Amino acid sequence: MFKHLKSLYHKFLAYAGAIVYQYPSRQITVIGITGTKGKSTTAEALASVLEAAGYPVALLSSVHVKIDKDISHNITGNTMPGRFFIQRWLREAVRAGCRFAILEVTSQGVVGHRHEHIDFDVAAMTCLHAEHIESHGSFDKYRAAKVKFFADTAARSQKPKKIFVINSDSEHAPYFKTAANGSGEIVYFSREEFVKDELSYAGLSSGHWLSSNFNLENAAAVAAICRALGIPAVITRKALADFKGVPGRYEWLDARTNNGAFSVVIDYAHTPGSFEALLKALKDKKPTRLIAVFGSYGEGRDRWKRPQIGTIAETYCDKMYLTNEGPGDEHPQTIVDQIASGITDKLKIIMILDRRNAIKAALEEAKEGDIVALIGKG
């Protein structure tokens, strides 16, 4: 009963927000991006391309809140903030003359009805991996929330032309295609096709942000969306080559101590799939050593993945600093112990619960040619 009332409450807030701000999504091209990983990078790179094409853009990502030239950090603590935030942001975007509004669409945002009463023109999915299993109840329910965004766009968006952008490399692509229900154009993308078609152009393969398979997948999504929107390919290619990446998302820094020069990589990876993709990409750079600093969120969220990320990290890392990452009401030691339970070689582990001290220790240990990966919270 309480769950039902809570759902009705959030549905009412979504409806009330649209009424108060007079359905601003009907006056602007709205692009929603969902998926387990890559939403922020795809959204930010897409905004960069559309701006390079000469359009004023609004962006709502887990990193930034942007309306044309006005940009600030997203300090709400929520990728899809509630309580009228999105509708107000859309109204401000319309007032500022923005042509496009880009936002991340999360599974929990869908469950909270925060995507409702927004008329999307484009619904895109990046990838799908196990995440938020405990909060949703199962992977099937998690996937259903993602798919519901497509289904609701198909059934409820009043835009005359709807575009559904789907990652054909994903085994879950058929679910999203079925949800689109023939109500608009379906555009597929794949990393391999993108590499074959796009990377032959000089300059596009340069820079750290495009030096990993997962970011090539994100770039492929951006290119597919831009093609569907009619953005000239030459503009898309140049803008992707010029894009510098997103702070805290596969962000590279050069560092030096008395031990020599090394690299630091900051990334938000926090699922087993993203952990493996990141660490494999870093190991492929053939560092002298790969040192990782990471933990796992508390408050009972996805406990199942803690031993898994430990096992994955051990496969690729020479040293692992296990540390605090927002434990909530759980004891940090309990969390790192659960991560360590998935690691066979205990000599690779150093436990330092204070995150700043763990980062400091890892950087002080780093030597010439090492890569230090600061993962998750950063």
Side-chain angles (χ1 to χ4, degrees):
M1 181 64 177
F2 174 75
K3 187 176 180 180
H4 178 65
L5 289 174
K6 184 179 179 181
S7 178
L8 288 176
Y9 169 71
H10 288 298
K11 284 179 74 73
F12 171 75
L13 284 180
Y15 176 66
I19 293 293
V20 168
Y21 290 101
Q22 300 178 311
Y23 288 90
S25 62
R26 296 175 182 175
Q27 300 169 268
I28 190 171
T29 300
V30 184
I31 303 166
I33 300 170
T34 196
T36 305
K37 295 296 294 179
K39 297 187 295 298
S40 295
T41 300
T42 301
E44 301 257 349
L46 177 60
S48 182
V49 174
L50 294 176
E51 287 179 331
Y55 298 108
V57 175
L59 170 71
L60 176 56
S61 76
S62 59
V63 182
H64 291 126
V65 180
K66 171 180 169 62
I67 298 175
D68 195 12
K69 304 301 182 186
D70 183 10
I71 185 168
S72 61
H73 289 288
N74 184 346
I75 59 173
T76 67
N78 201 319
T79 303
M80 287 189 79
R83 300 189 180 279
F84 296 13
F85 187 103
I86 298 175
Q87 294 291 351
R88 182 171 62 252
W89 167 75
L90 286 168
R91 174 49 62 195
E92 290 173 357
V94 170
R95 286 175 182 154
C98 293
R99 172 69 182 277
F100 296 97
I102 307 164
L103 69 152
E104 296 182 48
V105 179
T106 66
S107 59
Q108 291 167 317
V110 170
V111 171
H113 307 285
R114 292 174 185 173
H115 69 301
E116 294 184 14
H117 305 288
I118 299 173
D119 292 292
F120 287 91
D121 297 81
V122 180
M125 63 86 72
T126 57
C127 61
L128 207 63
H129 306 294
E131 175 69 326
H132 300 308
I133 302 303
E134 276 135 343
S135 62
H136 286 283
S138 68
F139 175 77
D140 287 347
K141 290 180 180 179
Y142 167 68
R143 180 179 58 203
K146 297 287 191 183
V147 169
K148 189 176 188 298
F149 164 53
F150 268 53
D152 286 349
T153 297
R156 300 180 183 179
S157 174
Q158 296 189 21
K159 295 297 179 65
K161 180 184 178 182
K162 288 174 276 193
I163 301 168
F164 299 90
V165 181
I166 300 173
N167 184 353
S168 61
D169 292 334
S170 172
E171 63 181 300
H172 305 287
Y175 292 91
F176 290 87
K177 178 185 178 182
T178 299
N181 197 30
S183 66
E185 178 185 3
I186 294 180
V187 176
Y188 289 103
F189 71 89
S190 77
R191 186 188 73 240
E192 294 301 324
E193 288 300 316
F194 175 77
V195 169
K196 183 167 61 178
D197 294 343
E198 308 290 343
L199 291 190
S200 58
Y201 294 88
L204 195 55
S205 60
S206 64
H208 282 303
W209 102 273
L210 280 175
S211 65
S212 64
N213 282 335
F214 53 84
N215 270 338
L216 287 173
E217 188 173 72
N218 298 333
V222 172
I225 294 169
C226 289
R227 277 197 301 272
L229 292 173
I231 305 300
V234 65
I235 294 176
T236 301
R237 292 187 197 109
K238 185 177 187 311
L240 286 175
D242 292 342
F243 183 61
K244 301 304 181 185
V246 181
R249 304 299 197 274
Y250 203 59
E251 180 181 6
W252 285 72
L253 303 172
D254 294 324
R256 177 181 288 276
T257 66
N258 292 334
N259 296 328
F262 59 95
S263 296
V264 178
V265 178
I266 306 171
D267 193 81
Y268 189 54
H270 58 280
T271 68
S274 59
F275 241 75
E276 182 149 29
L278 171 67
L279 294 176
K280 183 179 186 305
L282 296 181
K283 197 67 173 180
D284 287 346
K285 303 292 183 187
K286 302 190 184 308
T288 304
R289 292 182 304 164
L290 179 54
I291 301 169
V293 181
F294 64 95
S296 185
Y297 277 103
E299 297 181 347
R301 287 184 290 182
D302 292 330
R303 289 189 179 96
W304 59 271
K305 73 183 181 185
R306 295 170 185 170
Q308 286 191 27
I309 63 175
T311 300
I312 292 166
E314 181 180 17
T315 301
Y316 297 97
C317 296
D318 299 284
K319 184 69 70 68
M320 292 162 283
Y321 285 81
L322 305 187
T323 190
N324 181 22
E325 189 173 327
D329 57 1
E330 291 189 74
H331 195 286
Q333 188 64 56
T334 300
I335 296 173
V336 298
D337 285 344
Q338 290 173 352
I339 297 171
S341 70
I343 300 171
T344 302
D345 186 353
K346 306 301 184 185
L347 295 178
K348 286 186 173 185
I349 300 173
I350 297 177
M351 292 186 184
I352 303 178
L353 296 185
D354 184 286
R355 193 176 187 90
R356 287 181 182 274
N357 288 338
I359 293 171
K360 183 173 183 289
L363 297 179
E364 288 176 344
E365 178 186 344
K367 299 177 181 178
E368 182 79 29
D370 287 350
I371 293 178
V372 178
L374 310 181
I375 307 175
K377 193 174 183 180

